Amino acid sequence: MSHDGATGSAAREDRDHAATLREAMRAVLDLIDDVEALRTENRQLREALEGRALIERAKGMLMARSGCDEATAFEMLVDLSRKQQRKVRAVAADFADSTGVQPLT
């Protein structure tokens, strides 16, 4: 009788270990999802900062070239992006890379 009790106890212990392992695996998978979400957010924030820097540089070049204020320089970039059906960031990058030779019309 003690042998059956030991076997039952071992089976319960195995089930408990299996349940603990499943919980740990779920926790690890959740952490992996969290890390991936943070990596995505980090990449998006980096791209946003880079885009902002390009826009600021292009605005400064426009302000120096045309003598306009910051708001007008941004409007010029927005107008050009609409005309070209491109993102402001892409227009600003082209403008900044062209050292100010980009036509504004």
Side-chain angles (χ1 to χ4, degrees):
M1 184 139 174
S2 64
H3 182 359
D4 289 337
T7 302
S9 176
R12 275 191 299 279
E13 204 172 295
D14 286 347
R15 283 192 299 274
D16 290 346
H17 288 315
T20 301
L21 182 58
R22 279 193 301 275
E23 289 174 23
M25 289 172 52
R26 283 188 195 113
V28 167
L29 291 174
D30 288 345
L31 287 173
I32 289 170
D33 288 343
D34 291 347
V35 167
E36 188 57 37
L38 289 170
R39 283 184 178 149
T40 298
E41 181 180 14
N42 188 14
R43 181 184 46 77
Q44 291 170 342
L45 290 171
R46 232 183 0 261
E47 289 172 0
L49 283 173
E50 290 168 3
R52 187 70 188 154
L54 282 170
I55 291 168
E56 290 299 320
R57 187 169 61 196
K59 285 189 327 188
M61 293 170 71
L62 282 169
M63 291 165 55
R65 177 176 159 192
S66 65
C68 66
D69 64 10
E70 186 176 352
T72 302
F74 185 70
E75 288 174 21
M76 293 167 79
L77 288 172
V78 170
D79 288 344
L80 188 56
S81 78
R82 284 186 187 133
K83 287 178 186 174
Q84 294 180 357
Q85 296 181 350
R86 297 171 60 213
K87 293 185 178 203
V88 173
R89 180 189 194 279
V91 171
D94 286 351
F95 185 81
D97 289 345
S98 71
T99 64
V101 181
Q102 174 82 14
L104 298 177
T105 56

